[in-house]
Amino acid sequence: EAQLVESGGGLVQPGGSLRLSCAASGFTFSRYWMSWVRQAPGKGLEWVANIKEDGSEKYYVESVKGRFTISRDNAQNSLYLQMNSLRVEDTAVYYCVSLPYYDILTDWGQGTLVTVSS
Amino acid sequence: EIVMTQSPATLSVSPGERATLSCRASQSVSTKLAWYQQKPGQAPRLLIYGASTRATGIPARFSGSGSGTEFTLTISSPQSEDSTVYYCQQYSTWPWTFGQGTKVEIK
């Protein structure tokens, strides 16, 4: 059974940076596309970024392009999201998601809360 | 960007009464459509993908249909534990987009 555990969330000032991590277990991490999806407090879901199995392809929602970078370390079974130039509107719970079928958001972690506030 | 619109915003049904949730895409997504259930304080759970395929472990009372721009999630005989929020999502075109959600209440 796939397990995904996010970490690295917290309180950061506008303009600051934060790096989220996701530890994966229970499946062959290096064979799966991975995603980050976020949810602002009391709001709906927003897809943020995807990364291919080998890291050679990455896709982002327009609002984070140039500020966020998705990456992975297949040797460590870990997914990352480097977030720079954070804005108040980036405040959300960030979920790590595995995609065993390439394009289906299948297994979700419990999320980590990022709060951007002065 | 493809806009996903769910209706109604809130659906109130009696136990055992069929619940029908709708999702409309602003342009065709073929059958690249998924449904998720999210309970308070929990991560979303995949219910349906490919518009009509139930994910592993999902009860048979959940079914999906549709293609192109019109989709439906049906809960044939809702149980009390089905009272929560449901989201549709298209994965046909980047950026992937979600509907705003439908809250189902079991009276």
Side-chain angles (χ1 to χ4, degrees):
Chain A
E1 180 182 348
Q3 288 200 354
L4 300 163
V5 180
E6 303 92 338
S7 60
L11 175 64
V12 61
Q13 292 188 338
S17 298
L18 214 54
R19 188 196 197 204
L20 304 184
S21 299
C22 171
S25 61
F27 64 100
T28 307
F29 180 77
S30 61
R31 293 185 183 176
Y32 287 15
W33 281 68
M34 296 293 296
S35 290
W36 288 99
V37 175
R38 68 184 178 183
Q39 185 170 36
K43 302 297 183 182
L45 300 166
E46 181 181 39
W47 167 78
V48 174
N50 273 20
I51 186 168
K52 194 177 178 180
E53 299 99 323
D54 61 359
S56 62
E57 293 182 33
K58 302 176 184 181
Y59 299 89
Y60 300 92
V61 69
E62 191 65 34
S63 60
V64 309
K65 283 181 183 176
R67 300 189 299 121
F68 289 12
T69 301
I70 189 172
S71 63
R72 64 192 297 161
D73 183 339
N74 287 344
Q76 298 292 323
N77 291 338
S78 294
L79 177 72
Y80 305 101
L81 187 66
Q82 177 66 45
M83 304 186 295
N84 299 330
S85 302
L86 282 160
R87 305 167 180 169
V88 171
E89 56 265 33
D90 294 320
T91 294
V93 173
Y94 285 73
Y95 295 100
C96 168
V97 190
S98 67
L99 291 79
Y101 303 112
Y102 158 66
D103 55 2
I104 311 296
L105 296 163
T106 303
D107 293 302
W108 297 60
Q110 279 305 111
T112 187
L113 176 62
V114 172
T115 303
V116 185
S117 175
S118 54
Chain B
E1 173 176 316
I2 296 177
V3 177
M4 306 301 291
T5 303
Q6 292 185 240
S7 61
T10 302
L11 179 63
S12 184
V13 298
S14 300
E17 176 186 356
R18 179 184 300 258
T20 303
L21 290 67
S22 296
C23 175
R24 173 176 293 177
S26 60
Q27 63 190 75
S28 178
V29 299
S30 183
T31 56
K32 301 274 191 179
L33 190 285
W35 290 94
Y36 302 86
Q37 177 192 67
Q38 187 178 31
K39 296 185 176 181
Q42 295 186 18
R45 177 173 72 147
L46 176 67
L47 295 177
I48 301 286
Y49 63 93
S52 61
T53 302
R54 270 190 306 277
T56 302
I58 301 304
R61 65 180 181 272
F62 292 94
S63 63
S65 64
S67 66
T69 62
E70 300 286 340
F71 301 90
T72 300
L73 174 69
T74 301
I75 312 174
S76 60
S77 184
Q79 308 298 300
S80 57
E81 63 264 30
D82 300 332
S83 285
T84 191
V85 179
Y86 296 82
Y87 295 96
C88 63
Q89 177 242 338
Q90 67 82 18
Y91 49 96
S92 172
T93 306
W94 305 107
W96 292 354
T97 47
F98 290 86
Q100 79 280 16
T102 290
K103 182 177 182 180
V104 173
E105 298 176 337
I106 311 297
K107 292 181 285 190

